[in-house]
Structures are given as structure tokens and as C-alpha cells.
């Protein structure tokens, strides 16, 4: 059957998500999930009817949270579907290209490859910022430029002045897609206020991280109404199951937002603790992180990753030499992780 698949698909290696990698342990810090398991009421009625394509209550709730109008919001199955919709709607396979700046999130590349759209890679600078000159030289055929801030896996923010320069550079040529999956941990860094000025800006958001709903599959694209209407042409007719929208609306209610804010504060405090403890170890560098994870450079990153894996502490190895990405868990998980890693250094030394 493999031979019947499209050539592009035959050549694909599926995204190795944290869930597919496997492993066994009791400390899971490899998928940037929230440690908080919040409870929701699910009402299993009305399920004989199809869901609304864009549930009004959900769109209104997220628009209000994000500070935009409902016509500027599209909801989809996670931010990942937003990435795919943008590529399908704006890039002609075999003609157009997307551009992104590694090291960064893997799904821009995978989605483009699946759809048969060319990928242009312009690496981030050594400071993990945009290389604007190089981007300018590589814009031929580019319809979408993906920028992730806070960037996954490096954790840093992309400079706002550079994002503005990029929006100016691509005006009337390409759409800048800001991936703000982690922006709820640093809302002051959002580019949402630039939407009114730049019609070529689209912003990806999700309930998977700060809202502790990775398993719900609920994300958003924010953009001007015209762009949203293009995406509505390619989205599935019933993308949001009724229970998903019901739970998401609860998460975005006043009490849901208050709980999320508390949990963000808690995670930020744990992140500081983790950062300080690891930075104190000899030869360890902790990069400043603005999301719910830290990128940490060890003298031997692979060895540290494997030792933790064997001890049931599942971290994420990264494409950056000797760097390991560590999600910020709850207090117990953080303590266990700090204790384990510290112990590695005392036994080696
Ligand atoms: C987790 C993540 C996403 C995907 O979010 P979902 O809503 O779960 O699909 C998108 N972008 C980045 C950078 C992420 O880390």
C-alpha cells in the first residue's frame, strides 16, 4: 500500500512527537505540557447534531481574552491545524514556499512537506534572533514566514523591532505568522496590537500550554477578517467537536482565566527555581526562557538525557549541541529533576 501513497508522502518521516517517542517514567517533562490536571463538566447531549463550524461562544470568549474582535478569530484543532490551514490556503504546491528560522518548532516543515510546498530555511543568528538580511534575500516565492516567540526549543523572545521590520519587508508579498503558543506566560510580548496596522500578520495561539488543555486540541488563529475568511474556505466543515468547545468555553470563563493566571504564576516560580539550581552546577548553562520550559546546555547533553531517561525522568533532547529542553512541571517534578541532575554532577566530580 505504501507504493500507492503520493511520492511526497512516501518520503515523509512522521513528526516524532513526545507521545510517539515512548519511554517510561513518572516525571514527564518532554512535551511542554502543564502539570495541572484541571477538572471540567462535560454535558453529553445535543450530540446527534453537527457542531457549529466556528462555535460562537468559543470565538467570542477567545476574542475577549485576546483583545480582538470575533471576526479576527478562527478556531481549529490545536495551533497545529492553524499551521496546516495557512499553508493549504496560501501556498500553491510546487510553486510557493514557506520560510522559517531553525532551530524552531518542527511542524512548519512537516506540514509544508506533506502538502508539497517548498521550504526555505534561514537559521536564527547565534543570539537566536531573526537574520533579517538573509530573510530579505530569500523571499522569492515565499508566501508565509513563520516566527516562533517565545521560540521552541530555545525559549527566547524574538525582538519586537525585528518583527516590525519583517512585517514591513513582507508587506503586500507574504504573511508573517507569529507562533505565540507560549505567549500566555509573557503576555506583554504579544504582537496582537500589531494586527490593526499589518494586514499581513497572522498569530497562532493554543489552549495546550498555559491553559493545561493539550489533550483537548483547541487552538486559534488571529488575523484580520479578510485573512480569516480565506482560512474558513479550507477548514473542515465541523472541525470543533461540541465537548471540545464546551470545555474551552469553561477554560475561558472568568474563573477559568483566574485559575490559568494562578497556574502561570506557579509555573513561572518553579521555572526560576529550576533555572537557579541548574545554573549553579559546574559547566551548565541555562538559557533565559519565557515559556514553560528551559533550554539547558550540559557538558554532555546526550549522556544527561539518557541518564535521566533511565531514571524515569523524561526530558526532550534538542538539535542544539549538548542542549536538553526541560518542561517546567509541578513542584515535586521540579524538585526530583533538580535533585537527579545535581546528583549526576556530584558523582561525576
Ligand atoms: C505546542 C506547540 C504548538 C502546537 O499547539 P497545539 O495547539 O497543541 O497544536 C504550536 N507551536 C509551538 C511552538 C508549540 O510549542
Amino acid at each position: 500500500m505504501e507504493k500507492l501513497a503520493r511520492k511526497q508522502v512516501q518520503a515523509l518521516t512522521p513528526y516524532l512527537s513526545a507521545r510517539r517517542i515512548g519511554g517510561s517514567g513518572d516525571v514527564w517533562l518532554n512535551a511542554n505540557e502543564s502539570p495541572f490536571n484541571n477538572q471540567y463538566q462535560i454535558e453529553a447531549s445535543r450530540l446527534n447534531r453537527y457542531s457549529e463550524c466556528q462555535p460562537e461562544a468559543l470565538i467570542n470568549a477567545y476574542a475577549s481574552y485576546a483583545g480582538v474582535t470575533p471576526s479576527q478569530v478562527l478556531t481549529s484543532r490545536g495551533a497545529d491545524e492553524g499551521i496546516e490551514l495557512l499553508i493549504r490556503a496560501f501556498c500553491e504546491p510546487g510553486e510557493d514556499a514557506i520560510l522559517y528560522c531553525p532551530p524552531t518548532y518542527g511542524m512548519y516543515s512537516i506540514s509544508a512537506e506533506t502538502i508539497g510546498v517548498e521550504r526555505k530555511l534561514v537559521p536564527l543568528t547565534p543570539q537566536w534572533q531573526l537574520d533579517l538580511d538573509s530573510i530579505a534575500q530569500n523571499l522569492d516565492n515565499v508566501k508565509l514566514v513563520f516566527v516562533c516567540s517565545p521560540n521552541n526549543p530555545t525559549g527566547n523572545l524574538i525582538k519586537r523591532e525585528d518583527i516590525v521590520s519583517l512585517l514591513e519587508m513582507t508587506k503586500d508579498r507574504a504573511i508573517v505568522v507569529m507562533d505565540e503558543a507560549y505567549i500566555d506566560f509573557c503576555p506583554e510580548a504579544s504582537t496582537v496590537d500589531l494586527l490593526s496596522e499589518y494586514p499581513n500578520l497572522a498569530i497562532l495561539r493554543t489552549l495546550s500550554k498555559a491553559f493545561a488543555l493539550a489533550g483537548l486540541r483547541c487552538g486559534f488563529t488571529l488575523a484580520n477578517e479578510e485573512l480569516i475568511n480565506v482560512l474558513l474556505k479550507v477548514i473542515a466543515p465541523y472541525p470543533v467537536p461540541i465537548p471540545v468547545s464546551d470545555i474551552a468555553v469553561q477554560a475561558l470563563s472568568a474563573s477559568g482565566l483566574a485559575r490559568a493566571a494562578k497556574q502561570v504564576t506557579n509555573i513561572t516560580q518553579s521555572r526560576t527555581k529550576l533555572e537557579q539550581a541548574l545554573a549553579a552546577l559546574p559547566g551548565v548553562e541555562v538559557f533565559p526562557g519565557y515559556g514553560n520550559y528551559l533550554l539547558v546546555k550540559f557538558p554532555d547533553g546526550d549522556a544527561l538525557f539518557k541518564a535521566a531517561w533511565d531514571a524515569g525522568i523524561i526530558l526532550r533532547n534538542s538539535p542544539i549541541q549538548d542542549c536538553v529542553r526541560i518542561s517546567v512541571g509541578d513542584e515535586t517534578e521540579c524538585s526530583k529533576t533538580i535533585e537527579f541532575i545535581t546528583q549526576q554532577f556530584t558523582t561525576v566530580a
Side-chain angles (χ1 to χ4, degrees):
M1 282 306 112
E2 170 85 11
K3 273 185 282 182
L4 289 182
R6 286 167 47 216
K7 281 198 190 68
Q8 299 272 8
V9 175
Q10 288 182 34
L12 270 180
T13 336
Y15 180 66
L16 209 53
S17 71
R19 279 294 154 271
R20 276 187 181 174
I21 287 169
S24 73
D26 50 4
V27 182
W28 289 88
L29 301 176
N30 68 342
N32 292 350
E33 293 154 331
S34 170
F36 300 108
N37 177 18
N38 302 319
Q39 301 301 307
Y40 292 92
Q41 301 300 319
I42 307 175
E43 189 209 340
S45 67
R46 308 182 270 125
L47 295 182
N48 57 318
R49 302 294 177 189
Y50 283 112
S51 55
E52 291 173 81
C53 175
Q54 294 289 293
E56 199 182 345
L58 176 56
I59 294 294
N60 289 343
Y62 200 82
S64 158
Y65 168 69
V68 299
T69 65
S71 63
Q72 293 175 301
V73 181
L74 176 114
T75 185
S76 59
R77 289 163 286 206
D80 280 352
E81 189 182 23
I83 295 168
E84 200 192 292
L85 290 173
L86 282 159
I87 299 175
R88 276 178 37 219
F90 288 97
C91 299
E92 197 72 64
E95 276 179 38
D96 299 327
I98 68 157
L99 187 153
Y100 61 93
C101 306
T104 192
Y105 188 53
M107 284 308 293
Y108 319 133
S109 169
I110 303 242
S111 288
E113 194 182 4
T114 308
I115 299 167
V117 165
E118 186 193 344
R119 295 159 288 170
K120 297 199 184 190
L121 282 64
V122 176
L124 294 171
T125 66
Q127 292 75 40
W128 294 328
Q129 292 296 324
L130 298 177
D131 184 344
L132 288 170
D133 291 337
S134 187
I135 291 175
Q137 284 159 22
N138 283 282
L139 278 181
D140 284 352
N141 310 328
V142 168
K143 289 282 194 70
L144 299 170
V145 180
F146 286 91
V147 177
C148 189
S149 180
N151 187 40
N152 181 0
T154 57
N156 64 294
L157 294 173
I158 302 298
K159 283 188 205 153
R160 185 181 164 95
E161 67 208 67
D162 289 354
I163 296 166
V164 171
S165 301
L166 180 63
L167 284 161
E168 291 287 342
M169 182 198 298
T170 53
K171 240 181 186 167
D172 303 319
R173 291 181 66 172
I175 294 160
V176 174
V177 184
M178 290 303 305
D179 188 336
E180 295 191 345
Y182 299 97
I183 207 69
D184 316 278
F185 295 99
C186 50
E188 63 288 348
S190 176
T191 54
V192 72
D193 60 297
L194 295 173
L195 281 176
S196 53
E197 212 175 324
Y198 294 98
N200 61 327
L201 171 63
I203 300 172
L204 297 168
R205 298 284 192 88
T206 180
L207 298 186
S208 294
K209 310 286 164 54
F211 286 91
L213 287 170
L216 188 68
R217 311 308 303 128
C218 185
F220 303 90
T221 305
L222 312 179
N224 73 75
E225 188 174 357
E226 205 180 312
L227 198 159
I228 295 292
N229 285 337
V230 174
L231 298 181
L232 284 171
K233 288 185 176 183
V234 297
I235 200 167
Y238 314 108
V240 185
I242 290 169
V244 168
S245 139
D246 286 353
I247 290 171
V249 168
Q250 288 176 48
L252 293 163
S253 68
S255 61
L257 291 175
R259 180 175 58 195
K262 255 197 218 155
Q263 294 178 348
V264 163
T265 304
N266 179 297
I267 288 170
T268 308
Q269 285 165 351
S270 293
R271 185 183 71 203
T272 304
K273 228 171 103 183
L274 187 64
E275 180 179 0
Q276 289 172 349
L278 298 183
L281 299 171
V284 174
E285 185 176 2
V286 184
F287 298 100
Y290 290 84
N292 62 340
Y293 57 95
L294 287 170
L295 190 74
V296 186
K297 185 166 186 165
F298 293 99
D300 186 340
D302 284 343
L304 188 285
F305 172 82
K306 285 192 190 102
W309 176 284
D310 292 339
I313 299 175
I314 312 299
L315 311 176
R316 182 84 156 159
N317 41 16
S318 90
I320 306 157
Q321 176 85 47
D322 285 321
C323 288
V324 177
R325 195 193 68 187
I326 306 177
S327 304
V328 179
D330 60 21
E331 273 125 271
T332 316
E333 292 168 321
C334 281
S335 304
K336 276 190 186 175
T337 305
I338 291 169
E339 195 182 322
F340 175 80
I341 295 177
T342 306
Q343 194 192 322
Q344 296 303 297
F345 281 79
T346 43
T347 44
V348 170

